[in-house]
Each structure stands twice: as structure tokens, then as C-alpha cells.
Amino acid sequence: MSIRSKTTAAVASAAAITFFAGTALAASPGAPGAGDPYFPTYGNGGYDVSHYDIRLNYNPTGDQLSGTTTILAKATEDLTQFNLDFLLKVKSVRVNNVPSSFVSDNGELTLTPRGGVRKGQDLTIVVTYADSPSTVKDRNGFTAWTKTVDGALAIGEPEIASWWFPSNDHPTDKATFDVNVAVPNGVEAISNGTFVGQTRQINGYTRWNWRSTKPQATYLTFLTIGQFELRQGTTPSGQPYVNAYSERLGENADAAKASVERTPEVIEFLSENFGPYQFEAQGGVVTPNLGYALENQTRPNYDTGFFRRGANTYVVAHELGHQWFGDAVSVHHWRDIWLNEGFASYAEFLWSEHVGEGTAQENADFTYDLYPADSEFWNVLPGDPGAGAVFDGAVYDRGALAVHALRVAVGDEKFFEILKTWVAEKKYSDATIEEFIALSERVSGQQLDQLFQTWLFTKGKPAEAPGRAADVASKSLSVASGKAAEPKSRAKIQLTHELLDAHK
């Protein structure tokens, strides 16, 4: 380093150290949570992330994960320190190229950048780390990282990021992503967005590169590692797709392919109902060991169990429905989960109608009759289920009934206009149930408070299934049971919800 360089560096360092001189009282630590009433420690305050560059190495033998995540962000207030959500062992942290002190405590990685950070300042945060994720548990003794016989699964809701990359882990702070993971030759590493190639390294590893160019929530960012059959191509709409099938699917492999390979067709159908598909790529991943399905942006992951009774396009319709409701438009707080699960479940009703296996009304009638009035099912409120019931079956089934009630109340033309307007106005951001109600009233020209109060916020079984007129009811009821006849689609929808319900 030259004398001039040393002098410049010293001045810069002094400036950083004294930045808050005279204004120290205005600066404060960033909040250790995003203000979510259900999960107060999720996310953080004081900054907004625009991009994650995740560059990792993973050795399935011993479950060894190591590498670096670079975060581009902007401070939203004057900060003396700020937090990242992360559970793994950290080796070093740099903020704007300057080493930063840090403390890891139960999932909160607290950074104290030298001299603090001013509001509006661009931040480049580099975290280097190494650990065995499957051995790491959160404050509740839980690990979301799943070690498998041929790799690992980093898939989860409402959180997964903390087990493989540091982040602002809440849907209110979306970002773009580059995910680059090196694994032993012969092993695949699959993530979101567009596959931008693989690089064979000299150490017997291959690096897999994925890019997500649309804003994406942290929990919707996944990593699936193992031995997979990859199927790549271009959809009729011109988008790239990548589907991946574990080599351990056994007798379910063909049924899985017969379902997930129809992804472009299902997206085409849902686009007619929900508006244009908002992302740059398509696909799906099927694997054992997951236990449920998750709507990872552009590329949902499905457990092989969904296909144990043959092809199941209903789970595909459900997870792809989330690409609009949950992914393009995400929850503002986890209390708003109906905006995700109610509409994804209703996508199954729409798909059933489309393939001639039962109308949406027939599915609504059957679902309503399925639960007796004294069932605890009717005491879970889809509009505010509580932290312990975010993924309760009522959020899905009663949630779908609430969506159908809206359709019946406003008519098909206004109903689908509401859905398309919602996505068009809120895409790539987050929103609340109250905002959806306000938009529904604006588009329909109707006052809908009582409808939503009944179906989302009132305990007990509503007096009647939405849309069931007396004469229709008499025709659709089974003489033997006094209940609505079972639609052909119901067995697959029931299987889908049994496994989705296991997520809770």
C-alpha cells in the first residue's frame, strides 16, 4: 500500500468512526423483528434487502455446508447495529468492505458496523459461515433442514432461510436471488428461477447456478440436493421450465411425472382466472422425505406421497395457485394466511370444474357438509387463526368456502375481476386481508363486511353453504346421507389436504 493509500484509508476510517458525532442520539439499533404479531422474532427492522447472492459448497457426507452470502440492502433509518436471521456458525462479517463485529444468539445475528449506518445508505453485507445444518436447532428445539440419504432439503414455511443463508426473514422484505451451490459430481442442486448452467470444478464438484429475477420471499427460496432426473424445456408461452424427480421415487415416479409435467397446462388455465403468470420460469420438484408440498416461487416441491394413488393434478393446481396468491402477492403478517391458503385451495375447485370432476359449487357443498356443526373445525378463524393454527385444515377448507362465498355474492364477472385486479395491483409486494376486502368492495360496488365477518372471523358453522339454493340442495343431496354427493375430484383433494395439513 502506498503512503497516499494509507492516508486515504485512515481518513475514511476516521470518518466512519465519527460519522454519528453530534447526532448519536438519532441513531439506534434496528429492531430484532419485523413486527409480526404471530412470530415477533421473524424478520428485522432498519433496512430493506434488494438482493441475495448465495454461494455455497455442500458435502452430503457429514452434512457439511460452507460458503458466503452477500446481501445488498439499504438502511431505512440511522443504525448503530442491525440484525440478520441466522442459526449457523459464522466465521466473519463485513459491512461495506469493513470487518464488522457480530454476536450470534439463538437465531439473531447482530452486527455492529464500525461507525454505524446512516439512513438511505447502501449496504453490502458479506457473511462467511460453515456448519452442519441438520444438527442446528432453533429456540424451540426444531430443525427445518432435512438430511437425506443422497443430499438435503432446505424447504419450509414459515421459515427455512436461517438454516442455510442469513436474511431478513419475513415476507415483507422480498429480494432477487442468485443461488450457486457446489456439490459432488453426480449430485444435483436445484433452486428457484432460471437455471443458468453448471460449472465442473477441479475438486470433483459441480457448481449449479440459479437466478431469480423477480422479488421473492425468503421462505419461498429453496435448495434441494440429491440425485434427480432433470427434465428441461420451453413452455408453449416461451418460458424455460425445469422439473426434477428424485431417483428414489420408486413406484410413484410415473404418477409424479404424469402430474408435474402438466405444470405449463395448469399455469395456462390459472392465468385465465387469476391474470398473467408473474414469474420468469416454471417447474416442479418431487422428492421423498419432505412430507408435504410447498409453493417455492417458480418451482414447487412435492412429497412423493401425493402420488401414491396415481396422478394427482390437484396438488399441482394448489401449489401453482400460490404463485399468484402467496408468491406474487405475499402475506403482510402471518395472520393474513387466508390470502395464501384459501385461494390456493379454491384453485383446486376451479381445476375440478375445468377437468369435469365436480363444479366449484359441488365442492363447496360437499366441503360444508363434511364438518358437523359441533366440529372444532368451525372454531378456527381463517382470518385470524392464531400462531398455532396457521396451517390448520380450516384455513384451507373453510378458507376456500370463504372465497366461494365471495364469488356467489358478486357474480363470476366481478369475482374474477377482483382476483386479477388484486394480483395486478399488489404483485411483488405483500398485503393484508383488510386490503383485499377493501379492493373487493371497490371492484364489486358492494358492501361485503358481513360476508367476510361470517366466513373469516366468526366461530361456528354458518347457516348454509355459500351458493346453495334450496332447489339445488334438494337435487345434490344424497338420499341416504342427507349430504351433498361427493364430487369425483374429492378423493384426490382429500389426499392433497391430508398431506398439506401434515405441514402444521
Side-chain angles (χ1 to χ4, degrees):
M1 180 183 289
S2 68
I3 295 176
R4 180 182 177 85
S5 298
K6 289 180 180 179
T7 303
T8 302
V11 171
S13 178
I17 293 171
T18 61
F19 178 78
F20 283 119
T23 60
L25 293 178
S28 61
D36 195 304
Y38 281 10
F39 305 110
T41 62
Y42 288 8
N44 303 287
Y47 63 96
D48 179 73
V49 178
S50 59
H51 183 70
Y52 294 91
D53 185 89
I54 304 169
R55 189 174 182 85
L56 303 174
N57 300 284
Y58 182 69
N59 186 350
T61 303
D63 188 40
Q64 297 299 310
L65 183 76
S66 61
T68 297
T69 291
T70 300
I71 302 170
L72 302 182
K74 186 181 291 290
T76 58
E77 59 186 87
D78 291 342
L79 296 170
T80 55
Q81 62 182 208
F82 60 93
N83 290 20
L84 296 170
D85 299 303
F86 198 47
L87 285 160
L88 304 188
K89 294 177 182 177
V90 175
K91 292 184 174 181
S92 66
V93 177
R94 299 176 74 92
V95 178
N96 289 350
N97 294 303
V98 178
S100 173
S101 62
F102 62 90
V103 175
S104 295
D105 182 23
N106 212 9
E108 294 288 343
L109 177 61
T110 304
L111 314 184
T112 305
R114 189 181 305 172
V117 175
R118 67 183 183 277
K119 181 178 180 180
Q121 184 175 356
D122 290 324
L123 300 173
T124 301
I125 307 155
V126 181
V127 183
T128 302
Y129 49 97
D131 213 333
S132 179
S134 63
T135 67
V136 177
K137 297 182 179 181
D138 67 8
R139 66 187 71 213
N140 298 312
F142 172 74
T143 179
W145 177 279
T146 301
K147 175 74 179 73
T148 66
V149 297
D150 58 355
L153 306 176
I155 306 164
E157 180 185 14
E159 59 176 339
I160 180 59
S162 290
W163 280 269
W164 68 289
F165 68 95
S167 70
N168 192 14
D169 195 13
H170 195 271
T172 51
D173 194 1
K174 296 183 177 182
T176 57
F177 283 80
D178 280 305
V179 176
N180 306 278
V181 181
V183 291
N185 296 340
V187 176
E188 285 73 43
I190 305 157
S191 193
N192 310 73
T194 303
F195 178 49
V196 291
Q198 53 185 314
T199 306
R200 186 66 67 94
Q201 301 182 169
I202 62 174
N203 62 349
Y205 276 60
T206 298
R207 183 166 295 279
W208 295 74
N209 305 297
W210 302 87
R211 170 162 287 183
S212 298
T213 59
K214 304 298 183 183
Q216 183 170 288
T218 47
Y219 83 92
L220 296 172
T221 306
F222 80 97
L223 178 62
T224 299
I225 297 171
Q227 294 182 312
F228 288 82
E229 175 192 345
L230 296 185
R231 294 190 173 189
Q232 302 180 61
T234 303
T235 71
S237 65
Q239 289 193 320
Y241 72 82
V242 178
N243 296 329
Y245 303 96
S246 170
E247 295 181 3
R248 297 184 291 113
L249 297 184
E251 63 184 11
N252 295 333
D254 288 341
K257 293 171 185 176
S259 308
V260 176
E261 289 299 310
R262 296 179 68 181
T263 291
E265 175 192 353
V266 178
I267 286 179
E268 182 179 306
F269 166 72
L270 293 176
S271 296
E272 296 171 359
N273 293 277
F274 299 159
Y277 181 68
Q278 299 296 333
F279 302 121
E280 69 274 26
Q282 301 179 21
V285 181
V286 186
T287 182
N289 306 113
L290 182 57
Y292 52 90
L294 189 62
E295 62 270 19
N296 307 107
Q297 191 162 302
T298 70
R299 193 161 292 111
N301 278 234
Y302 308 91
D303 185 85
T304 182
F306 286 100
F307 312 105
R308 65 175 183 249
R309 299 178 192 167
N312 180 1
T313 52
Y314 289 97
V315 68
V316 177
H318 181 102
E319 301 308 331
L320 293 179
H322 276 305
Q323 302 302 306
W324 285 264
F325 294 91
D327 294 13
V329 186
S330 298
V331 295
H332 181 69
H333 288 142
W334 284 102
R335 170 245 187 206
D336 300 303
I337 190 65
W338 172 71
L339 294 172
N340 290 15
E341 300 303 345
F343 288 85
S345 297
Y346 198 72
E348 300 169 49
F349 288 13
L350 295 174
W351 181 249
S352 173
E353 194 165 86
H354 175 67
V355 299
E357 294 187 344
T359 66
Q361 185 61 58
E362 289 168 340
N363 273 284
D365 289 345
F366 186 83
T367 302
Y368 175 87
D369 290 340
L370 192 62
Y371 302 96
D374 61 353
S375 171
E376 186 60 28
F377 170 89
W378 298 106
N379 290 326
V380 177
L381 305 180
D384 193 3
V390 168
F391 302 111
D392 190 271
V395 176
Y396 295 74
D397 283 351
R398 186 174 178 178
L401 293 177
V403 177
H404 191 66
L406 173 63
R407 181 179 180 179
V408 170
V410 303
D412 278 10
E413 181 179 352
K414 289 297 183 182
F415 174 73
F416 290 108
E417 183 182 350
I418 288 168
L419 302 192
K420 292 175 182 178
T421 302
W422 175 251
V423 176
E425 293 187 1
K426 300 290 187 178
K427 65 182 179 182
Y428 309 138
S429 64
D430 57 87
T432 66
I433 292 175
E434 286 71 26
E435 288 176 304
F436 182 82
I437 294 172
L439 182 140
S440 298
E441 293 183 335
R442 170 165 64 85
V443 172
S444 69
Q446 296 186 35
Q447 203 280 333
L448 299 168
D449 284 352
Q450 189 55 54
L451 180 151
F452 287 108
Q453 184 64 37
T454 298
W455 287 100
L456 296 182
F457 300 109
T458 301
K459 292 185 177 182
K461 188 171 185 176
E464 190 55 276
R468 178 192 277 171
D471 59 333
V472 174
S474 65
K475 295 176 184 177
S476 63
L477 293 179
S478 164
V479 174
S481 66
K483 296 181 180 180
E486 181 174 343
K488 291 181 180 179
S489 58
R490 186 61 204 182
K492 290 293 174 64
I493 291 177
Q494 184 65 31
L495 171 63
T496 295
H497 283 223
E498 286 173 0
L499 287 175
L500 291 174
D501 199 35
H503 184 204
K504 69 183 182 180

